[in-house]
């Protein structure tokens, strides 16, 4: 399957969340501040990227994250409203590349690049079962 046949540059999606205590650094690491954790921001960026293309995938196909190059630019407290975007910037045969950003209000709190690989679920599951 060739993603270039159905994924187009510019496809995009956004997600919004209110930062819960469970997504802060302090929740995972004792004595750290209760601010939005970088891995949690990256998770939302990956999910927004997936959302941007999911409806265009053929049945039995998914995408999985394969690369992240992210900057976390500013802290956000519990209760902050964070908006995350993912936009397709390049499409290769089995790899889709995205520009991702995160904002608290108008303030950019993160940005970078992300890539997702096109995977056939049945074949992927068989490979994992062989391990």
């Amino acid at each position: 399957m060739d993603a270039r046949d159905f994924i187009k540059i510019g496809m995009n999606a956004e997600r919004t969340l209110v930062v819960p205590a469970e997504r802060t650094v302090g929740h995972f690491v004792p004595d750290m501040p209760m601010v939005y954790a970088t891995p949690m921001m990256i998770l939302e960026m990956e999910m927004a990227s997936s959302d941007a293309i999911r409806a265009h995938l053929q049945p039995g196909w998914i995408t999985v994250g394969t690369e992240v190059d992210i900057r976390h630019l500013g802290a956000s407290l519990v209760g902050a409203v964070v908006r995350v975007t993912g936009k397709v910037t390049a499409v290769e045969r089995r790899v889709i590349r995205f520009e991702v950003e995160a904002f608290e209000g108008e303030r950019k709190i993160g940005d970078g690049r992300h890539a997702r690989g096109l995977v056939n679920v049945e074949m992927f599951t068989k490979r994992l079962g062989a391990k």
Side-chain angles (χ1 to χ4, degrees):
M1 170 155 317
D2 190 329
R4 295 172 292 191
D5 294 337
F6 51 91
I7 303 298
K8 304 300 177 202
I9 292 172
M11 288 179 171
N12 64 83
E14 84 176 34
R15 299 174 65 88
T16 302
L17 79 144
V18 176
V19 176
E22 296 80 19
R23 291 200 177 190
T24 64
V25 178
H27 174 76
F28 295 103
V29 182
D31 301 322
M32 290 295 287
M34 297 296 282
V35 295
Y36 194 33
T38 302
M40 298 294 101
M41 181 184 73
I42 293 169
L43 172 64
E44 286 297 318
M45 290 171 161
E46 287 201 38
M47 292 171 63
S49 298
S50 178
D51 290 349
I53 60 173
R54 181 179 299 113
H56 302 279
L57 301 179
Q58 295 183 7
W61 289 82
I62 60 171
T63 58
V64 295
T66 59
E67 298 175 32
V68 291
D69 180 12
I70 305 298
R71 299 183 311 160
H72 197 162
L73 304 170
S76 297
L77 298 171
V78 171
V81 176
V82 173
R83 179 176 55 89
V84 178
T85 63
K87 178 180 175 184
V88 176
T89 59
V91 184
E92 300 163 16
R93 185 174 168 277
R94 298 286 290 266
V95 177
I96 301 100
R97 299 190 183 280
F98 299 84
E99 173 185 281
V100 292
E101 295 180 303
F103 299 88
E104 181 184 339
E106 295 300 313
R107 181 175 66 105
K108 185 186 285 191
I109 63 165
D111 63 15
R113 293 176 302 280
H114 171 51
R116 301 191 67 74
L118 186 61
V119 173
N120 178 280
V121 175
E122 183 178 339
M123 292 173 64
F124 185 72
T125 303
K126 282 181 183 176
R127 273 197 317 269
L128 288 176
K131 290 185 176 190

